[in-house]
Amino acid sequence: MDWHCTTKPFVPQPETLSFFYNYNNNPYPGVEVKQATLLETGERSNPAMDNGSKEKKKRLTSKQIELLERSFQEEIKLDPERKMKLSRELCLQPRQIAVWFQNRRTRWKTKQLEHLYDVLKHQYDVISNEKQKLQEEVMKLKAMLGKEQGFGMQRLGGYPEISGEETVESTSEGLRGSNNKAWGKSNIEQVADEGLCSLSVEDYNTVSLPLCHWPIVPY
DNA sequence: GTGCTAACCTATTCAGGTC
DNA sequence: GACCTGAATAGGTTAGCAC
């Protein structure tokens, strides 16, 4: 089984998260009313219970799952025609096919969310590391500046005042802002330029989560 | 506009399998 | 027997169609 989507994925477009909610830009994907077939009507009822005697739940065979999985990889949605075809081929009720696809989509979505979490976490780690490096660099530069100014002031008979309140972040921003070309672009800005994330310098300092402006489509 | 129907969804239940 | 997984159910939303 491939709950981890390691085989051919129906890869969602990365620029949007809407695929979690909307597989085909409809409020409910695949909701297209089609004339119900005789077999499909009454699908809501449990076919296993129809004969009065309560049949026990049965696991699908590996062969059935294999075919269902292959079909799912081809198309995440299940159209009535395909449902009936699978139903005949696998000797399962159409309802069972529909339920399997529904559960499979749920599992797929969960996996996608887990994957997205990993990606975001990685991005966050990268940004955190870069911030740490920049802070260290700023401290070094401040120390150097202090020494130089101290030396100059000694000759003038005084010492400069370096505020302890001054934030590393503001200094960092100022330096980079005043001489952007010399500093070059940070990884984060490159990412932002590539349109993956929309980050401002302000975001930089307050970022607690990657501030990617991906649309969250309400369900 | 309203009612019906069939598709979808999430949350939950329950049974089979594994340790 | 506890825990996990997956098949199935319950209940809700949405959209197309007929009236």
Side-chain angles (χ1 to χ4, degrees):
Chain A
M1 260 183 282
D2 180 36
W3 303 144
H4 303 275
C5 298
T6 50
T7 58
K8 184 191 123 193
F10 8 81
V11 182
Q13 295 304 306
E15 63 268 20
T16 172
L17 290 185
S18 60
F19 64 89
F20 281 136
Y21 309 91
N22 194 338
Y23 301 113
N24 63 353
N25 296 326
N26 287 327
Y28 281 95
V31 176
E32 289 170 20
V33 175
K34 302 192 169 73
Q35 292 306 312
T37 64
L38 285 173
L39 268 169
E40 279 177 301
T41 51
E43 231 182 56
R44 274 282 197 184
S45 64
N46 183 359
M49 313 278 188
D50 283 350
N51 56 5
S53 65
K54 201 172 177 179
E55 248 182 63
K56 290 200 170 185
K57 276 186 191 176
K58 275 184 183 169
R59 296 250 158 171
L60 303 181
T61 66
S62 55
K63 184 124 186 160
Q64 286 171 325
I65 288 174
E66 192 187 328
L67 189 54
L68 285 166
E69 195 66 44
R70 226 182 301 155
S71 182
F72 185 81
Q73 299 295 335
E74 280 171 19
E75 174 63 54
I76 192 167
K77 277 176 5 186
L78 182 65
D79 57 274
E81 217 173 280
R82 201 153 57 105
K83 179 161 63 175
M84 298 314 292
K85 184 168 173 277
L86 286 167
S87 171
R88 282 192 299 271
E89 286 176 10
L90 300 171
C91 301
L92 292 170
Q93 294 289 330
R95 172 70 183 155
Q96 285 178 288
I97 306 291
V99 165
W100 188 89
F101 264 76
Q102 189 54 57
N103 286 325
R104 184 63 181 85
R105 278 194 294 271
T106 303
R107 289 192 288 270
W108 172 74
K109 198 170 124 182
T110 304
K111 280 292 162 200
Q112 293 294 315
L113 280 169
E114 285 173 10
H115 176 67
L116 180 64
Y117 171 79
D118 289 342
V119 169
L120 290 174
K121 189 175 181 303
H122 179 254
Q123 287 181 356
Y124 173 76
D125 290 342
V126 168
I127 290 167
S128 283
N129 285 339
E130 187 173 355
K131 185 184 175 186
Q132 179 70 28
K133 281 179 194 165
L134 286 170
Q135 282 179 331
E136 285 166 10
E137 200 165 352
V138 165
M139 293 304 286
K140 276 185 205 165
L141 288 168
K142 271 187 169 180
M144 282 168 62
L145 194 63
K147 273 184 191 171
E148 275 184 25
Q149 285 184 343
F151 184 68
M153 282 297 182
Q154 249 182 343
R155 285 189 296 183
L156 293 172
Y159 292 95
E161 220 177 275
I162 299 175
S163 166
E165 298 296 314
E166 191 181 357
T167 63
V168 171
E169 287 83 1
S170 62
T171 312
S172 166
E173 184 184 334
L175 281 167
R176 284 161 12 91
S178 63
N179 196 5
N180 207 11
K181 277 183 185 172
W183 275 72
K185 289 195 170 187
S186 71
N187 291 342
I188 305 166
E189 285 166 323
Q190 285 170 16
V191 167
D193 283 354
E194 286 161 15
L196 297 174
C197 290
S198 172
L199 277 172
S200 65
V201 178
E202 286 77 19
D203 293 332
Y204 235 104
N205 301 323
T206 56
V207 66
S208 59
L209 274 174
L211 294 173
C212 300
H213 294 177
W214 289 331
I216 304 295
V217 181
Y219 171 60

